[in-house]
Amino acid sequence: MSHLGRSAPPPVRDSYSLLVLNVPFRTTADDLLPLFDRCGEVINIHIPRDRRTGDSRGFAFVRYKYEDEAQKAVDRLDGRTVDGRDIMVQFAKYGPNAERINKGRIVEDIRKPRGPFGSPSPKRRYRSDYRDRDYRDDYRDRDYRRSRSGSIERYEHDRYQERDYHRRSRSISPDYDRRHRKNGRSPARRSGSQSRSYSPTPSPSRPRDERSRAL
DNA sequence: GTTGAGCGTT
């Protein structure tokens, strides 16, 4: 109840994530906690924030303990007016329970927790922690090291850049770009000499002298 | 001080 965002996130295997859209920007998890807690037992609430400004993106994720409570929250809190805005509550598309989610609704197609593949191989997963880490390292050394020839950090960086590029390329609003431009005022424009071409100037000495000497 | 379709980590 008071460990929202304080301790590590609880196991998601027994939790159901709800996506809350149309959430005011100034609304925090603490504001949504009492609202969603009334519908059932809320495990954790996560609100994605922008890394640049740190503001909320306008949506939140609420994880419930039971699916009936989550469904109740969707039915009750969906369309509720929060801070002057009507929020939209629906089941999360991605996540641990995404297999049961279809178009924001729970799909009761699962009969037994035998696994999504039908043939679970828990023998390998039952290894110790150090074993698991070793296995992962081996896998990374086998493919990632040879294919990417890099580190995972680059992957995240590329992902973030891709997201930013996608968001900006979608032309959300002409005002958005204009506002940022007015505020940034072309941050990548100073003199035009340094940014124009790279002048490594490895040796300011006279190459003619060296050539003359070589000759 | 702004914005509003969407799918998530400290």
Side-chain angles (χ1 to χ4, degrees), chain A residues 43-212:
Chain A
I43 299 184
N44 192 7
I45 299 181
H46 172 227
I47 298 183
R49 293 192 277 184
D50 198 314
R51 285 183 178 253
R52 300 165 292 189
T53 58
D55 282 342
S56 312
R57 273 199 245 173
F59 60 94
F61 288 95
V62 182
R63 285 200 280 187
Y64 274 95
K65 186 64 167 50
Y66 304 98
E67 102 176 35
D68 58 334
E69 292 179 345
Q71 182 63 43
K72 188 166 64 180
V74 173
D75 190 41
R76 285 184 62 176
L77 297 180
D78 184 32
R80 197 62 164 264
T81 306
V82 176
D83 202 76
R85 299 271 194 237
D86 52 327
I87 62 176
M88 294 187 294
V89 184
Q90 55 192 274
F91 281 89
K93 201 197 298 188
Y94 302 137
N97 55 345
E99 298 168 6
R100 311 184 191 180
I101 305 304
N102 190 6
K103 290 189 282 189
R105 289 190 186 173
I106 298 187
V107 180
E108 297 185 13
D109 214 352
I110 295 185
R111 286 150 196 174
K112 281 196 263 184
R114 52 199 286 177
F117 295 96
S119 256
S121 316
K123 297 177 204 166
R124 272 211 314 231
R125 297 198 81 161
Y126 271 128
R127 291 193 173 179
S128 303
D129 288 330
Y130 69 98
R131 263 299 195 195
D132 194 10
R133 208 168 72 163
D134 201 29
Y135 173 75
R136 206 170 64 181
D137 202 19
D138 191 24
Y139 168 76
R140 206 173 59 180
D141 270 342
R142 256 195 306 191
D143 281 334
Y144 264 83
R145 280 281 176 106
R146 291 209 179 179
S147 269
R148 289 282 177 193
S149 73
S151 55
I152 309 183
E153 285 183 3
R154 220 179 96 185
Y155 173 71
E156 285 190 2
H157 192 68
D158 269 3
R159 218 174 81 186
Y160 277 111
Q161 269 197 349
E162 200 179 45
R163 182 174 69 89
D164 205 313
Y165 176 74
H166 210 66
R167 273 183 80 116
R168 288 211 179 179
S169 185
R170 282 188 84 158
S171 63
I172 309 140
S173 272
D175 294 332
Y176 187 82
D177 231 20
R178 199 169 63 182
R179 233 181 286 102
H180 270 250
R181 279 225 174 159
K182 201 161 71 174
N183 216 358
R185 208 182 263 185
S186 311
R189 211 189 279 176
R190 271 250 157 144
S191 295
S193 284
Q194 276 185 335
S195 299
R196 191 54 93 87
S197 58
Y198 270 92
S199 277
T201 59
S203 292
S205 43
R206 303 132 192 175
R208 207 168 72 183
D209 222 24
E210 282 193 56
R211 203 155 80 174
S212 189

Side-chain angles (χ1 to χ4, degrees), chain A residues 31 33 92 202 215:
Chain A
D31 296 333
L33 171 61
L215 269 170

Side-chain angles (χ1 to χ4, degrees), chain A residues 9-20:
Chain A
V12 292
R13 55 193 167 190
D14 293 333
S15 63
Y16 300 89
S17 301
L18 292 184
L19 173 65
V20 187

